Amino acid sequence: MYYSIYATDKENSLEARLTARPLHLARLNLLVDEGRLLVAGPCPAVDSEDPGPAGFTGSLIIAEFDSLEDAQAWADQDPYLAAGVYERVEVKPYKKVLP
């Protein structure tokens, strides 16, 4: 089943985000390699593909896991969480309907 992982960034966390980004992307690429990632990306703080110093307000990941517990355990190991980027992480079951 798919699960959505929505994380909210702490204020002024852009530098920590940029530092931890390679490790964060490496984990996401493992999901890609396993065919389990539906979508992933950050939420810009301003209406722009490249928000520059405005940074981001959070991230959304939708991926396949065996259970809610497995999805939560995966989210709990995110390098952004360890680096202090995320203030809060919410994991919920997700049902893909379209397209």
Side-chain angles (χ1 to χ4, degrees), residues 23-36:
L23 293 174
H24 173 79
L25 291 179
R27 293 181 81 232
L28 290 172
N29 281 318
L30 287 175
L31 292 177
V32 169
D33 293 345
E34 296 168 354
R36 296 172 43 204

Side-chain angles (χ1 to χ4, degrees), residues 39-97:
V39 68
C43 302
V46 295
D47 189 13
S48 173
E49 288 272 332
D50 180 4
F56 301 91
T57 61
S59 299
L60 173 65
I61 298 166
I62 300 176
E64 191 173 15
F65 294 92
D66 290 333
S67 66
L68 178 60
E69 293 78 18
D70 287 349
Q72 184 67 60
W74 187 90
D76 289 345
Q77 297 301 312
D78 195 302
Y80 281 172
L81 193 58
V85 174
Y86 292 154
E87 181 175 338
R88 185 178 74 241
V89 178
E90 189 172 11
V91 180
K92 294 182 179 184
Y94 175 81
K95 181 180 176 185
K96 182 178 185 273
V97 176

